[in-house]
Amino acid sequence: MSNNEQHSKPLLRVQELRTWFYTFGGLVKAVDGVSFDLAPGEIMGLVGESGGGKSMIGFSIMGLIDPPGRIEGGRIEFNGKNIAGLSEDEMRVIRGKEIAMIFQDPMTALNPLYTIGNQIEETLALHTALSARERRAKAIEMLHKVGIPQPEQRLSHYPHQFSGGMRQRVVIAIAMIAKPRLLIADEPTTALDVTIQAQLLRLMRQQVVENGTSMILITHDLAAVSQMADTIVVLYCGRIVEKGPAEDIIARPRHPYTRGLIDSIPHETAENDGPKQRLSQIPGNVPDIRKLPPGCAFAPRCSRASERCRMQDPVLMEHNAIAMGSGKLRPHAVACHHPLAVSP
Amino acid sequence: MSQSVKDPAKPLLEVRQLEQRFDVSGSFFDRLRIAGGRISAPRRIVHAVNGVSLAVKRGEVLGIVGESGCGKSTLAKTIVKLHEPTGGQILIEGEDITRHDFARMRPVRKKLQMIFQDPYASLNPRQKVRDIIMEPFLESQAGPVPDIADRALALLAKVGLGIEHLDRYPHQFSGGQRQRIGIARALSVQPDLIIADEPVSALDVSIQAQILNLLMDLKDEFGFSYLFITHDLSVVRYISDRIGVMYLGFMVETGPTRTIFAEPKHPYTRALLAAAPQLGTKLGPASEQVGGEVPSAIDLPRGCPFRQRCPLAFARCAEERPELRPVGGGQAVACHLHEPATEPALAAT
C-alpha cells in the first residue's frame, strides 16, 4: 500500500448505505447502514456468510439493484460524487470504465453468442475513441497479460471453448482493459480449483497493483481474503460487525462472530497424534433476515451475549490498532457490547 | 448391527484396480467424422477412474482429495454402485460386490451408506423428514416395524434435530439442517462404512464446523469408517487418518495424513498444498506452483498424467506411466522420481 494513503482522499466513500428488498415474505434489509472508505490502490476484503449482504453492497455500488430492491438511503461517493441513485444512462458511463465487476460464475458473465474478441473490444468501443485495429491490438495485449496462450487465435473463440479458469481470465481481461479505478470482484475464484484459484488471485493482485486500481474482494473465504486484502470488513445480517487492517482482524479479532469464523476453519494446531480436537463452532444458524431479533443480530448465537445485547443495537466503535510492520495507527472498529480483549 | 463375527484383519472396504469409463460419443451420426477422405466413427471415452486401489479399515477415515474432474466423486458413486464399474473389483468385508445386481446389493447397502454434497438435491422434496430418514431402514426390513416413530425420533436426536422436525418437508430447513437429515438417513441402517461426497462443501463456514463435529462425534459413538471425498485440504486434514490424492482419475499419492502434509512426495500433492490459501499468510510469489490446467480425461496423456504440468518432468515421464509404489512409512507415490530403486534409503524403512 502507498505511503500517502493516510493523506489522500478516499476513492470510494460509502455512508450509511441501506439496500432493502420489498419481498412478499417481508422486508429484507440486505444492507442496513453500512459505511466504509476505500483509498486509491487499497484492496478491501468483504467477508461474511451467505445472507450477510456482501454481494448486495457490490451490486449497490454498481447500480445493479433491481426491484423489488431499492437503495433506501445513504450515499455512495465515488471520486467525490454521489453515485447512489444515478440514472441507468449516467451509470452506464461509469460502469466498465470507472468501476468494473467480476462475478463468481464466468460462464454467466460472458455472452455465449459472441466471441471473446467481441466482448473484450466492446468495453473499448463504448468508452474509448480507439479504432477497430487499435482495439484489436489492445485486446490481444490484454489477453496476453492475463496469461492466455495464443491470444491472436483465441480472440475468435467462443466462451464454451475455454475452461473455467481460462474464462475467468477472460473476465478479468474485460474488467481491466479500460483501466478502471475500482474493481469489484464477487467470489471470483469460488467456482475454481485451488491451484487455479491461486493463479488467478495472483493475476488480479498484479493487475490491480500495476494500474493503481482499488479493489473490493467479496468472498466467504477468509483465508483467501487474508492473502490479498489490506483491510477486511466483516458483515453479519446486512451490517458491519468489524472492520480494520487485515493482519489485525485475523490475528486479533474483537467481535465474537469474527473469532468464530476464524476458529471454524479446520487448522492443524498441535503436533501431537492424540485424539482429534473438536472444531470450535458457532452454534445455531444465520437468522432469517426478515425476522431479525431486537438488539444485536448475533446475540442468539453468541456465548458472550448479555441482556443488553438482546435489547440494544451495538454501534460500530473505533479503536486504534497498530498495523503490523508499518507501526502506523489504523482504525479497527467493532460493533459489540462485549468485544474480545486484545490478547498480547 | 453385529450379526456376524467380524474379522478385524480384513479391510471393511477394498477396491482393486477400479476402472470407470463413460462413453460420451453419442449416436453413430454424432460420431461420424470425415477426415483426409476417410470416414470414421471414433468413440469418445471419458476415463474417469483409472485403476484405483484402496482399502478402508474398520474405524478408519480415508480422505480422498483432488480438484474437480479428478474422478473422486465418480469413485465414490462407483463404490456404492450408482455406476456399474467397467473394470476392477469392489470388496465389502471380503465379499466381491462388483457384479451384484440390485437385489443382491440390498443386504450390502445395510453396511454401506452415502452422504451427498448437495443437501438440496439429495432429499425428496415431497417426503416428510420421518419418511426420508427411515426409508433405508424400512427397505432393509422384511416386515412392518412397530416402533418406527421412536426409531425416527432417536435418529433425529442423534443428529441434533427434534420431534418438531419430524413432520416437516425439506424446504423448511436450512442447508446445514438438511445435511443433518441426510446424515440421519445414512445412520438409519447402522452402517459400517459411510461414503461422504463433499458433505460440507455447500455449507457456510460456521455450519461446516458443526457438521464436521457431528460426523466425528457419530464416528466415535458408532465406530464406523468414512470414505471422505473433498476438495478442501483443511477439511481433509482435520478429518482423515489417511489421505489419497487423485489426479485425472489416478491415485497419485497415499499415506497417513501427517506424512502427506509434512512430506508430500508427488509434485502434484506439493503443488496442491502450496496453492491452498493459508489464513493470515500473504499471497507470496509463485513458488512451487504448477501452471496450466488439468488435461482432458477423454484423451489421457501418454505416460504420467501430470507430466504436462509438472515442473520436474523428464523424458521417462512421457514414456512410461508411473505406478503407485510404497516408499515406506505407509506412504505410496506414483512418480518416477520416487521409485524404490532411486531412493534405497526410503525403501529400507
Side-chain angles (χ1 to χ4, degrees):
Chain A
M1 224 170 148
S2 59
N3 290 327
N4 56 10
E5 164 249 324
Q6 298 288 314
H7 322 291
S8 61
K9 279 209 303 201
L11 175 73
L12 178 75
R13 166 165 279 176
V14 174
Q15 280 180 316
E16 287 298 315
L17 178 68
R18 292 199 302 280
T19 307
W20 293 0
F21 287 78
Y22 297 85
T23 69
F24 290 117
L27 178 61
V28 174
K29 298 179 178 177
V31 181
D32 195 23
V34 163
S35 308
F36 59 82
D37 285 0
L38 185 68
E42 181 179 345
I43 302 179
M44 191 183 90
L46 221 51
V47 293
E49 298 181 285
S50 23
K54 51 194 192 305
S55 287
M56 284 310 141
I57 292 176
F59 281 27
S60 302
I61 297 169
M62 284 297 274
L64 292 173
I65 300 293
D66 289 325
R70 237 179 76 180
I71 295 185
E72 195 63 39
R75 291 172 68 79
I76 302 170
E77 272 176 36
F78 179 73
N79 217 8
K81 183 185 166 204
N82 186 16
I83 59 166
L86 282 192
S87 72
E88 183 61 23
D89 284 343
E90 290 169 302
M91 256 335 271
R92 207 168 280 164
V93 182
I94 298 173
R95 229 185 265 146
K97 181 166 170 36
E98 303 277 344
I99 310 176
M101 191 157 180
I102 297 173
F103 299 90
Q104 172 170 359
D105 183 353
M107 199 59 217
T108 49
L110 295 171
N111 189 328
L113 300 179
Y114 289 91
T115 63
I116 294 303
N118 282 147
Q119 300 187 51
I120 299 178
E121 288 172 39
E122 187 192 6
T123 313
L124 292 175
L126 279 173
H127 298 298
T128 67
L130 296 176
S131 71
R133 175 186 301 219
E134 287 166 325
R135 290 204 299 266
R136 190 181 143 82
K138 272 230 149 179
I140 292 173
E141 183 196 331
M142 198 65 214
L143 279 185
H144 181 73
K145 271 192 189 160
V146 298
I148 290 185
Q150 298 153 339
E152 292 88 348
Q153 284 103 54
R154 291 302 241 168
L155 274 187
S156 57
H157 286 185
Y158 290 87
H160 77 267
Q161 292 167 296
F162 291 78
S163 69
M166 283 293 161
R167 267 181 223 144
Q168 201 61 299
R169 285 174 192 268
V170 172
V171 172
I172 294 173
I174 294 174
M176 294 306 294
I177 195 158
K179 297 199 185 337
R181 306 185 58 182
L182 171 62
L183 176 68
I184 302 173
D186 189 358
E187 304 270 8
T189 59
T190 306
L192 304 169
D193 282 323
V194 211
T195 52
I196 311 292
Q197 178 178 326
Q199 290 172 13
L200 286 177
L201 287 178
R202 277 201 183 82
L203 172 65
M204 272 189 286
R205 194 178 56 183
Q206 172 214 336
Q207 282 295 313
V208 162
V209 169
E210 238 170 58
N211 295 310
T213 305
S214 305
M215 178 174 177
I216 298 179
L217 176 64
I218 300 171
T219 178
H220 71 284
D221 187 343
L222 257 182
V225 156
S226 74
Q227 287 190 303
M228 288 277 287
D230 302 310
T231 48
I232 292 181
V233 171
V234 186
L235 290 155
Y236 189 74
C237 292
R239 295 188 171 196
I240 295 179
V241 294
E242 187 161 12
K243 67 177 176 185
E247 311 84 22
D248 208 48
I249 295 269
I250 300 293
R252 290 175 291 276
R254 306 285 317 269
H255 199 283
Y257 177 63
T258 316
R259 170 95 264 169
L261 275 185
I262 292 170
D263 289 345
S264 300
I265 303 170
H267 51 279
E268 209 67 0
T269 43
E271 279 289 308
N272 57 9
D273 259 331
K276 302 239 163 162
Q277 301 272 312
R278 279 175 67 88
L279 291 169
S280 54
Q281 61 185 41
I282 305 175
N285 294 298
V286 179
D288 185 341
I289 199 157
R290 290 165 306 194
K291 302 174 200 126
L292 284 186
C296 173
F298 187 62
R301 303 176 74 187
C302 184
S303 59
R304 303 169 71 87
S306 66
E307 210 41 53
R308 185 175 168 212
C309 303
R310 284 180 271 271
M311 313 276 286
Q312 188 190 350
D313 247 347
V315 278
L316 198 63
M317 301 255 276
E318 278 192 6
H319 309 260
N320 278 329
I322 298 161
M324 263 183 209
S326 67
K328 267 183 293 191
L329 281 177
R330 278 160 70 189
H332 181 152
V334 60
C336 182
H337 292 311
H338 310 289
L340 299 160
V342 185
S343 47
Chain B
M1 180 161 170
S2 49
Q3 61 274 70
S4 63
V5 181
K6 278 150 186 169
D7 181 0
K10 234 180 236 170
L12 194 54
L13 166 74
E14 197 180 351
V15 172
R16 294 185 191 149
Q17 293 298 319
L18 193 69
E19 250 173 39
Q20 185 62 59
R21 311 225 147 123
F22 298 104
D23 191 333
V24 293
S25 34
S27 77
F28 175 76
F29 292 103
D30 290 335
R31 291 193 278 130
L32 210 56
R33 296 279 178 281
I34 301 173
R38 299 177 64 175
I39 297 175
S40 65
R43 290 206 168 272
R44 284 155 52 81
I45 311 281
V46 174
H47 302 257
V49 178
N50 303 300
V52 166
S53 301
L54 57 86
V56 183
K57 290 197 280 279
R58 194 166 290 280
E60 184 183 52
V61 182
L62 175 65
I64 304 284
V65 269
E67 300 181 283
S68 43
C70 77
K72 54 191 193 301
S73 284
T74 308
L75 175 70
K77 287 179 179 162
T78 307
I79 291 172
V80 296
K81 302 258 289 168
L82 291 175
H83 300 306
E84 280 301 312
T86 41
Q89 278 183 305
I90 305 161
L91 294 97
I92 301 285
E93 289 184 305
E95 180 190 0
D96 188 341
I97 63 159
T98 321
R99 299 283 160 234
H100 274 20
D101 57 16
F102 187 81
R104 286 170 72 199
M105 270 307 284
R106 190 167 278 187
V108 178
R109 293 201 192 283
K110 272 185 78 173
K111 301 178 189 168
L112 190 63
Q113 283 289 313
M114 187 153 174
I115 303 171
F116 298 90
Q117 170 170 11
D118 186 346
Y120 294 84
S122 58
L123 304 177
N124 185 340
R126 298 185 174 215
Q127 275 188 317
K128 286 180 179 170
V129 168
R130 62 161 77 227
D131 299 320
I132 292 173
I133 60 174
M134 291 320 285
E135 189 171 356
F137 176 72
L138 291 174
E139 279 284 300
S140 71
Q141 299 294 308
V145 183
D147 56 344
I148 189 79
D150 293 341
R151 281 174 176 272
L153 208 54
L155 261 181
L156 276 189
K158 287 267 178 272
V159 297
L161 296 175
I163 189 164
E164 70 274 19
H165 299 115
L166 215 46
D167 285 308
R168 291 197 193 158
Y169 290 95
H171 75 265
Q172 293 168 293
F173 293 90
S174 67
Q177 287 173 317
R178 282 175 207 225
Q179 205 54 295
R180 287 173 192 270
I181 297 168
I183 293 168
R185 174 174 63 184
L187 285 179
S188 68
V189 290
Q190 303 201 329
D192 296 326
L193 174 67
I194 289 185
I195 296 182
D197 184 9
E198 302 268 15
V200 296
S201 308
L203 307 174
D204 272 324
V205 200
S206 70
I207 310 297
Q208 240 184 44
Q210 293 177 6
I211 297 293
L212 286 176
N213 279 336
L214 174 66
L215 289 172
M216 291 311 273
D217 291 347
L218 293 171
K219 175 186 174 291
D220 290 343
E221 187 174 347
F222 296 104
F224 44 59
S225 316
Y226 286 117
L227 181 66
F228 200 97
I229 315 271
T230 181
H231 71 284
D232 189 327
L233 286 162
S234 54
V235 167
V236 85
R237 181 177 197 173
Y238 171 71
I239 205 157
S240 318
D241 301 315
R242 283 192 307 126
I243 290 180
V245 183
M246 283 185 76
Y247 184 79
L248 206 62
F250 295 89
M251 192 69 87
V252 295
E253 184 161 5
T254 59
T257 305
R258 286 193 56 207
T259 321
I260 295 277
F261 276 89
E263 303 161 49
K265 292 226 158 42
H266 198 283
Y268 176 65
T269 315
R270 290 185 186 199
L272 199 61
L273 296 185
Q278 294 289 320
L279 194 65
T281 318
K282 285 284 171 206
L283 193 63
S287 54
E288 223 177 321
Q289 283 285 312
V290 287
E293 300 189 13
V294 185
S296 156
I298 293 177
D299 306 305
L300 285 185
R302 252 160 54 90
C304 173
F306 188 59
R307 68 177 165 85
Q308 288 138 325
R309 296 176 76 191
C310 183
L312 307 169
F314 55 105
R316 193 175 158 202
C317 303
E319 298 299 321
E320 191 186 330
R321 189 162 285 163
E323 277 176 38
L324 197 66
R325 291 204 177 88
V327 292
Q331 200 174 3
V333 188
C335 179
H336 289 314
L337 290 170
H338 294 283
E339 289 193 346
T342 57
E343 289 194 344
L346 275 170
T349 55

